[in-house]
Amino acid sequence: MKTYLVTGGAGFIGSNFIHYMFDRYGDDIKIINVDLLTYAGNLENLSDVKNNPNYSFVKADICDKVEISKIFADNDIDSVVHFAAESHVDRSIKDPEVFARTNVIGTLNMLNCAKEAWETNDGFKEGKRFLHVSTDEVYGSLTEEGTYFYETTPYDPHSPYSASKASSDFLVKAYVDTYGFPALITNCSNNYGPYQFPEKLIPLIINNVLTGKKLPVYGDGKNVRDWLYVMDHAKAIDMVIEKGRIGEKYNVGGHNEKQNIEIVKIIIDTIKEMLPEDDERQAHINYDLITYVEDRKGHDRRYAIAPDKIRSEIGWEPDTMFAEGIKLTIRWYFDHTEWMEHVTSGDYQKYYEEMYK
Ligand code: NAD
Ligand code: TYD
């Protein structure tokens, strides 16, 4: 039986990944989820797996050497899947320090603890893998239509968030190059789907449409992001752990570039279509909710991934096209209004820590 140590599993992508893995492998795997439960971590995301005997949760900081080493000492970890990070660009502009601490020092600590546990006299134990989950934002910003980020594109991060992720990628590469450490990196485009905290564009707009609030669009709304349904990212991570070559990096994206303003309009149109005609919210849902606001500082213009390598080497393809994925996502937010109330009320952690006592 394979044991995975997932960091940041109570966050958006981490919790979807845990669901994906149990759905796919059932009782054949064990998952240990280590998460500090910051504002972005919510155990409610995992309420349906919490009683699974093959799942366990440890509340700990990835920067804590003692706690993380203990997890490695107590368990024979086969794969680390490292999601834990500060992940929001706007927060990184206001408060960069915590990004350097968690994303850089936290990743270094995870690498050191795994190295210590897995190192032998002549290399590393067979079959061990450290998958570092990174972002396409490390490559900077594209301007011209038709150009893409490849694995060979030089790093050119602009925000404190992307700079901290780029630094962590370089640390992972340094451990491969220096020690022959068995790590791989994935650089994925923007994700969307269930359990995403409503500070990010798609859940923020869905929540604001449903509650009749203004829809803030930064700058001219023409910045482009390349959107991927979160379960397709989970599938890519699983496949890279299984089939990827140690020391390699893989770009993950589904060629779904859209301007922010297009996304906002699609969400408005889709919600209108999905709500019953006599729903009282229909009256206030229209494009007048859109409000152009001051642009983000240093706002990257366009991200677009070339997924050629992961397709040809690993055989990964996305399963969920945007037209379907956005409906699944909106439907999920329709059905989880309590989740939204909890994560926006600020005291959900206390509530859930009590529940898990
Ligand atoms: P998220 O903010 O939803 O979740 C982050 C999780 O990490 C939370 O559960 C939080 O509690 C935990 N965490 C934060 N600091 C911690 C610490 N010091 N110790 C332990 N746990 C800690 O983030 P996400 O959107 O799920 O992103 C997960 C990873 O994927 C990140 O590394 C991010 O850079 C990367 N990524 C995200 C996207 C995206 O579109 N969201 C795209 C590509 C890559
Ligand atoms: P975001 O979801 O924060 O992801 P990232 O900055 O990592 O790509 O933002 C996606 C895009 O949407 C980005 O160009 C900024 C823009 N945006 C808005 O226009 N309004 C908003 O309220 C938010 C949160 C983002």
Side-chain angles (χ1 to χ4, degrees):
M1 180 184 289
K2 222 173 142 173
T3 301
Y4 293 81
L5 175 57
V6 172
T7 71
F12 163 50
I13 308 176
S15 59
N16 277 289
F17 176 76
I18 291 173
H19 288 126
Y20 176 87
M21 293 298 279
F22 279 129
D23 285 350
R24 177 160 163 73
Y25 296 105
D27 293 343
D28 294 340
I29 58 164
K30 262 175 72 175
I31 295 182
I32 301 163
N33 172 19
V34 54
D35 197 300
L36 185 59
L37 300 182
T38 68
Y39 79 94
N42 181 2
L43 288 176
E44 190 175 4
N45 299 358
L46 295 157
S47 50
D48 52 341
V49 299
K50 84 176 168 106
N51 295 323
N52 182 335
N54 289 6
Y55 167 78
S56 57
F57 173 68
V58 181
K59 183 172 186 234
D61 186 342
I62 53 162
C63 300
D64 187 331
K65 189 169 169 36
V66 175
E67 289 269 7
I68 302 297
S69 299
K70 188 171 179 320
I71 299 173
F72 278 98
D74 293 348
N75 301 277
D76 184 14
I77 306 291
D78 296 298
S79 295
V80 172
V81 192
H82 179 39
F83 293 99
E86 288 293 334
S87 67
H88 193 211
V89 174
D90 293 325
R91 283 178 189 260
S92 82
I93 294 166
K94 290 200 190 88
D95 181 14
E97 275 186 42
V98 67
F99 283 73
R101 181 185 180 276
T102 301
N103 299 1
V104 185
I105 304 298
T107 300
L108 182 62
N109 188 48
M110 289 305 303
L111 289 166
N112 277 332
C113 294
K115 177 172 168 287
E116 210 174 276
W118 292 346
E119 209 161 22
T120 62
N121 288 337
D122 58 348
F124 288 89
K125 290 180 188 165
E126 258 317 288
K128 304 297 183 188
R129 294 287 182 275
F130 187 109
L131 191 288
H132 177 60
V133 181
S134 193
T135 165
D136 60 355
E137 302 192 24
V138 297
Y139 297 118
S141 180
L142 297 164
T143 45
E144 279 170 62
E145 285 298 311
T147 54
Y148 296 96
F149 295 138
Y150 290 88
E151 287 79 1
T152 48
T153 302
Y155 277 26
D156 182 24
H158 299 297
S159 72
Y161 164 66
S162 53
S164 68
K165 291 297 290 187
S167 308
S168 65
D169 289 15
F170 282 135
L171 281 171
V172 174
K173 181 179 180 304
Y175 271 57
V176 172
D177 295 347
T178 307
Y179 309 111
F181 183 74
L184 306 99
I185 301 175
T186 50
N187 294 90
C188 189
S189 62
N190 285 61
N191 285 211
Y192 69 100
Y195 304 110
Q196 189 169 30
F197 195 81
E199 62 185 352
K200 306 279 166 57
L201 181 70
I202 288 184
L204 182 139
I205 296 297
I206 295 173
N207 189 39
N208 284 15
V209 170
L210 291 175
T211 52
K213 294 197 195 107
K214 293 284 184 195
L215 312 178
V217 174
Y218 299 168
D220 64 4
K222 292 189 177 153
N223 298 65
V224 171
R225 296 293 181 265
D226 187 355
W227 296 95
L228 184 72
Y229 191 61
V230 63
M231 281 301 181
D232 282 322
H233 188 189
K235 176 172 117 172
I237 290 168
D238 176 35
M239 290 180 79
V240 170
I241 294 170
E242 292 305 313
K243 299 185 185 169
R245 286 181 292 137
I246 287 176
E248 291 293 316
K249 68 206 297 295
Y250 296 89
N251 284 355
V252 187
H255 277 307
N256 182 61
E257 292 177 49
K258 294 215 181 314
Q259 292 184 342
N260 295 335
I261 189 66
E262 285 179 71
I263 292 285
V264 173
K265 289 182 174 168
I266 290 172
I267 293 173
I268 296 172
D269 295 343
T270 312
I271 290 181
K272 268 195 106 61
E273 220 176 272
M274 286 171 73
L275 280 177
E277 268 177 34
D278 58 358
D279 190 296
E280 57 186 22
R281 288 170 292 187
Q282 288 280 11
H284 72 243
I285 300 175
N286 55 58
Y287 291 173
D288 292 344
L289 290 174
I290 296 170
T291 314
Y292 288 91
V293 298
E294 191 187 332
D295 208 355
R296 173 185 279 172
K297 287 188 175 67
H299 198 174
D300 287 337
R301 193 62 173 166
R302 174 173 165 254
Y303 302 144
I305 279 279
D308 309 26
K309 181 173 170 181
I310 192 167
R311 279 176 198 241
S312 60
E313 255 189 42
I314 311 264
W316 173 86
E317 292 275 349
D319 294 323
T320 306
M321 294 302 102
F322 191 76
E324 184 198 348
I326 195 69
K327 282 193 184 138
L328 291 173
T329 304
I330 292 171
R331 170 62 54 204
W332 188 88
Y333 283 95
F334 275 0
D335 294 343
H336 292 79
T337 47
E338 267 191 26
W339 179 93
M340 186 58 87
E341 277 162 29
H342 294 158
V343 301
T344 48
S345 71
D347 63 359
Y348 64 95
Q349 286 181 14
K350 201 172 118 234
Y351 177 79
Y352 281 96
E353 277 172 25
E354 272 167 21
M355 185 175 123
Y356 274 76
K357 252 198 276 198

